[in-house]
């Protein structure tokens, strides 16, 4: 009787008691261990940590309405009202102190909000150019 078998990966003839293929080197059977029972693993993890994150607003907070931001930018943009509304306090203070960076940033921001709103409406098939 022939004491060989075939590798299930490469098809080569290997000895019947082989665990690894002699041709491709891949494992064809489970290793036979001395102990048949698996060791018992005890995990004693008493994790008492709690999440105390109370941050709110800003970039990670509630989504802001773009229409409100556009209107704030249009009417109170030089004072940075739209930046305060979005929770971006530092840039709001910068707008407030510099008059919207001498008006340049105010108009750039207004055009950015308008374009963003138009693209969103276009994706929703409400308006397309």
């Amino acid at each position: 009787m022939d004491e060989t078998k075939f590798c299930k990966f490469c098809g080569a003839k290997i000895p019947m008691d082989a665990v690894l293929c002699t041709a491709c080197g891949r494992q064809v059977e489970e290793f036979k261990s001395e102990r048949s029972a698996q060791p018992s693993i005890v995990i004693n993890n008493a994790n008492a940590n709690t999440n105390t994150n109370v941050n709110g607003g800003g970039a990670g907070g509630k989504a802001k309405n773009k229409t409100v931001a556009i209107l704030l930018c249009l009417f109170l943009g030089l004072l940075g009202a739209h930046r305060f509304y979005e929770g971006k306090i530092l840039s709001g203070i910068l707008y407030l102190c510099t008059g919207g960076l001498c008006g340049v940033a105010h108009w750039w921001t207004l055009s950015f909000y308008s374009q963003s709103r138009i693209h969103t409406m276009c994706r929703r098939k409400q308006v397309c150019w």
Side-chain angles (χ1 to χ4, degrees):
M1 183 166 167
D2 192 18
E3 292 194 16
T4 60
K5 62 181 177 181
F6 293 98
C7 173
K8 59 183 175 182
F9 299 104
C10 68
K13 277 189 172 184
I14 56 174
M16 186 62 82
D17 60 340
V19 177
L20 299 175
C21 176
T22 54
C24 67
R26 296 190 61 184
Q27 184 177 344
V28 293
E29 286 185 15
E30 293 292 323
F31 288 108
K32 295 177 183 168
S33 64
E34 298 282 327
R35 299 183 315 188
S36 61
Q38 293 290 327
S40 62
I41 299 173
V42 177
I43 299 175
N44 188 11
N45 185 5
N47 187 358
N49 294 335
T50 57
N51 186 1
T52 58
N53 188 2
V54 291
N55 293 335
K62 184 178 169 187
K64 306 297 182 194
N65 188 341
K66 289 287 184 186
T67 306
V68 173
I70 290 172
L71 292 173
L72 285 172
C73 183
L74 184 62
F75 295 110
L76 299 171
L78 294 175
L79 300 175
H82 58 291
R83 306 302 284 177
F84 288 111
Y85 170 72
E86 292 181 331
K88 299 175 181 176
I89 305 301
L90 291 177
S91 62
I93 293 171
L94 181 68
Y95 270 69
L96 185 63
C97 293
T98 62
L101 297 174
C102 299
V104 175
H106 167 67
W107 292 111
W108 180 84
T109 305
L110 185 59
S111 83
F112 173 76
Y113 281 136
S114 299
Q115 289 173 1
S116 173
R117 181 74 174 166
I118 289 169
H119 289 299
T120 302
M121 290 169 59
C122 189
R123 274 184 267 141
R124 292 180 185 163
K125 305 286 189 226
Q126 294 173 347
V127 171
C128 258
W129 304 108

